[in-house]
Amino acid sequence: MKKLIALMLCTFASASVFATLPPLTPEAKAADDLAKAKTAYAGRVGAFQLCQAINKVADQYRVPGTPAPAACVAPPPFVAPGAPTAAAPAPAAK
């Protein structure tokens, strides 16, 4: 009996491994891309804030005459992927 139960569990487990999901809809793909972009941007903002904190502490313990810590580079504003960018103005018609 135990062998039969174990066999059935293994069968169902292997069947779930081979199951495939349907392809993403365009809306779901866009939402996924936006979530990935937001996560990446949050990482850049976090790195910038960490850099500022490190520099603040380094300034407190810096010995006079030693160079200042490197300046932190602020990340650019967040731009959603697929968002239309500002196009160049069209030339005036004569």
Side-chain angles (χ1 to χ4, degrees), residues 10-68:
C10 290
T11 303
F12 288 127
S14 64
S16 65
V17 169
F18 292 114
T20 59
L21 296 174
L24 292 176
T25 62
E27 295 85 17
K29 186 168 174 63
D32 185 43
D33 291 342
L34 180 62
K36 286 179 186 177
K38 283 183 179 180
T39 302
Y41 183 73
R44 288 193 296 267
V45 169
F48 173 68
Q49 291 172 342
L50 177 64
C51 179
Q52 287 180 322
I54 289 171
N55 284 352
K56 184 177 179 181
V57 172
D59 283 338
Q60 291 176 354
Y61 292 100
R62 187 168 48 113
V63 176
T66 58

Side-chain angles (χ1 to χ4, degrees), residues 2-12:
K2 289 182 183 180
K3 289 182 182 180
L4 181 62
I5 293 173
L7 177 67
M8 294 300 286
L9 286 175
C10 290
T11 303
F12 288 127

